[in-house]
């Protein structure tokens, strides 16, 4: 039987990705939506403006996908788990590491599934990159994640508020690939965070990583002021000379200059296939690594004030 699911927060990502992926997947049935603005897709039998009403009023709801901004996810996830629902979390999974830990313990206690989704990890090219790098020492890592915030986040004020993570909102996608493909853990060694004079979240960040072994030259550059062509690339070089490049957000893989994988992105299809397995197996998947790197960058990062930014 299909899992009966509800969506909480019917914004851009819920409409662009969650709704079509659920529609395509026969293992899920969208039966309810909680939207503060009262939005509702046709197939949802139940619609609420307050998610708490949804949790109370729809007893056969098995799981919820929380697609709100991260600042409010913890309370919503708590309420859902206490109501006996399994929970899929959009990225980033919470506002703080302690909140994520709390959700993890609550899911264990409730015997429900908690799933931290990192959509960029669900690309074939990313999985092939992980395989190619397994066991090698990394000499060089260069992450370049530069995009136009005005294009990708029109009118979204929460991303500029404290806890909205600023440029780390897309940057965490790169970090979710890095933490997945690197053969050993990386750590934040240094971070320069550029905060516009009128904002509480950074518009750009330069990061230097270290790793447990080796003296690699490991860096990331995130920038939200990129107009023209957008760049979502990760280049890696191993000590034995293997050169690997993930392009276009992890959808294309080049090894030694040769295109090895070039497949259309089916990230959210992958997410819902994984959620189906987790629900059937009654297990959780909580991957904290990308979120921890962001927290560490804020913890040890140097704050630099830059020109005010207006949308
Ligand atoms: P968004 O368009 O602003 O949508 C978020 C929605 O959450 C709002 O439209 C609102 O929907 C609901 N919401 C807002 N404040 C709330 C509150 N205080 N309490 C409860 N619900 C609230 O943002 P988005 O781009 O969809 O991003 C949402 C999350 O998805 C973020 O964590 C983001 O990082 C992640 N994500 C976004 C993208 C993307 O391309 N946009 C890609 C991948 C992941 P209702 O009025 O319907 O309640």
């Amino acid at each position: 039987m299909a899992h009966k699911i509800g969506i909480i927060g019917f914004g851009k990502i819920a409409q662009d990705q969650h709704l079509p992926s659920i529609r395509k997947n026969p293992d899920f049935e969208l039966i309810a939506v909680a939207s503060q603005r009262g939005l509702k897709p046709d197939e949802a039998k139940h619609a609420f403006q307050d998610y708490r009403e949804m949790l109370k009023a729809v007893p056969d709801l098995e799981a919820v996908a929380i697609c709100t901004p991260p600042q409010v996810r913890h309370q919503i996830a708590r309420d859902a788990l206490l109501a006996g629902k399994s929970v899929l979390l959009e990225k980033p999974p919470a506002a703080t590491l302690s909140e994520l830990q709390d959700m993890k313990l609550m899911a264990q206690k409730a015997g429900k599934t908690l799933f931290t989704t990192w959509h960029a990890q669900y690309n074939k090219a990313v999985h092939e990159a992980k395989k190619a790098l397994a066991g090698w020492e990394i000499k060089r890592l260069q992450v370049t994640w530069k995009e136009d915030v005005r294009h990708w986040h029109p009118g979204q004020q929460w991303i500029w508020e404290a806890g909205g993570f600023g440029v780390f909102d897309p940057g965490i996608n790169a970090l979710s690939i890095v933490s997945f493909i690197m053969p050993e853990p990386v750590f934040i060694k240094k971070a320069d965070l550029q905060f516009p004079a009128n904002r509480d979240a950074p518009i750009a960040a330069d990061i230097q990583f270290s790793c447990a072994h080796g003296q690699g030259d490991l860096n990331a550059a995130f920038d939200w002021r990129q107009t023209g062509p957008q760049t979502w690339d990760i280049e890696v070089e191993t000590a034995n000379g293997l050169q690997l490049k993930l392009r276009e957000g992890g959808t294309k893989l080049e090894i030694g200059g040769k295109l090895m994988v070039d497949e259309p992105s089916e990230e959210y299809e992958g997410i819902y296939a994984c959620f189906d397995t987790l629900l059937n197996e009654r297990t959780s998947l909580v991957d904290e690594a990308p979120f921890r790197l962001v927290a560490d960058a804020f913890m040890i990062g140097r704050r630099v004030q830059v020109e005010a930014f207006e949308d």
Side-chain angles (χ1 to χ4, degrees):
M1 254 219 320
H3 306 290
K4 291 186 166 54
I5 191 167
I7 293 179
I8 299 177
F10 205 58
K12 186 169 188 317
I13 199 62
Q15 294 178 41
D16 289 358
Q17 296 292 346
H18 289 264
L19 181 62
S21 303
I22 293 170
R23 278 182 175 159
K24 257 191 246 171
N25 188 328
D27 294 318
F28 287 92
E29 183 189 353
L30 182 68
I31 62 164
V33 166
S35 163
Q36 294 179 321
R37 289 164 299 165
L39 301 180
K40 176 187 131 36
D42 291 341
E43 67 263 52
K45 281 183 280 192
H46 309 279
F48 303 85
Q49 279 181 283
D50 186 332
Y51 74 89
R52 284 164 291 212
E53 290 302 315
M54 177 173 99
L55 296 176
K56 260 192 266 164
V58 191
D60 56 344
L61 192 66
E62 180 184 352
V64 292
I66 305 180
C67 302
T68 65
Q71 292 100 325
V72 293
R73 259 202 269 287
H74 177 228
Q75 186 61 51
I76 298 174
R78 272 194 139 251
D79 290 341
L81 290 165
L82 281 173
K85 314 300 176 195
S86 287
V87 170
L88 179 157
L89 299 167
E90 247 305 340
K91 51 73 31 176
T96 67
L97 282 167
S98 304
E99 287 182 355
L100 181 54
Q101 175 68 4
D102 182 56
M103 291 185 228
K104 198 166 119 181
L105 295 177
M106 281 200 65
Q108 276 167 10
K109 223 163 143 186
K112 295 292 160 190
T113 294
L114 182 69
F115 180 23
T116 55
T117 63
W118 300 106
H119 62 86
Q121 292 179 347
Y122 292 82
N123 283 298
K124 186 172 176 212
V126 171
H127 285 256
E128 293 302 316
K130 182 183 176 73
K131 278 189 222 158
L133 294 174
W136 296 111
E137 190 181 318
I138 303 303
K139 190 169 127 194
R140 194 177 80 86
L141 166 72
Q142 179 60 53
V143 178
T144 311
W145 224 253
K146 296 186 176 180
E147 61 177 49
D148 182 354
V149 65
R150 289 190 178 95
H151 179 81
W152 298 104
H153 296 274
Q156 292 180 352
Q157 287 312 306
W158 60 265
I159 52 172
W160 293 112
E161 288 163 12
F165 303 113
V167 76
F168 285 94
D169 181 74
I172 202 168
N173 300 330
L175 296 175
S176 76
I177 296 177
V178 168
S179 63
F180 185 73
I181 65 171
M182 289 292 273
E184 58 179 330
V186 296
F187 306 95
I188 306 287
K189 192 172 169 194
K190 192 166 172 280
D192 282 342
L193 313 177
Q194 299 183 28
F195 283 73
N198 58 342
R199 303 288 184 170
D200 289 326
I203 195 164
D206 289 309
I207 293 170
Q208 206 181 320
F209 302 97
S210 61
C211 60
H213 304 96
Q215 304 297 316
D217 177 19
L218 316 175
N219 301 286
F222 301 153
D223 205 320
W224 245 349
R225 297 164 297 193
Q226 174 104 336
T227 51
Q230 309 284 285
T231 314
W232 299 286
D233 291 346
I234 298 175
E235 292 173 53
V236 191
E237 193 180 332
T238 65
N240 70 329
L242 178 80
Q243 298 210 342
L244 181 150
K245 186 167 179 179
L246 279 165
R247 287 171 39 215
E248 297 180 27
T251 55
K252 291 187 169 63
L253 172 66
E254 289 173 10
I255 296 181
K258 195 170 157 218
L259 188 62
M260 308 297 281
V261 182
D262 178 4
E263 292 200 359
S265 172
E266 294 197 329
E267 296 175 349
Y268 281 80
E269 288 82 347
I271 283 177
Y272 276 93
C274 182
F275 196 35
D276 174 46
T277 304
L278 294 172
L279 290 170
N280 292 341
E281 293 178 355
R282 296 171 160 270
T283 52
S284 287
L285 176 54
V286 179
D287 174 6
E288 295 167 10
F291 197 43
R292 212 182 284 126
L293 289 171
V294 171
D296 288 350
F298 277 100
M299 202 180 311
I300 65 159
R302 195 170 67 102
R303 184 185 168 124
V304 184
Q305 187 168 305
V306 296
E307 195 185 344
F309 179 85
E310 304 298 344
D311 286 322

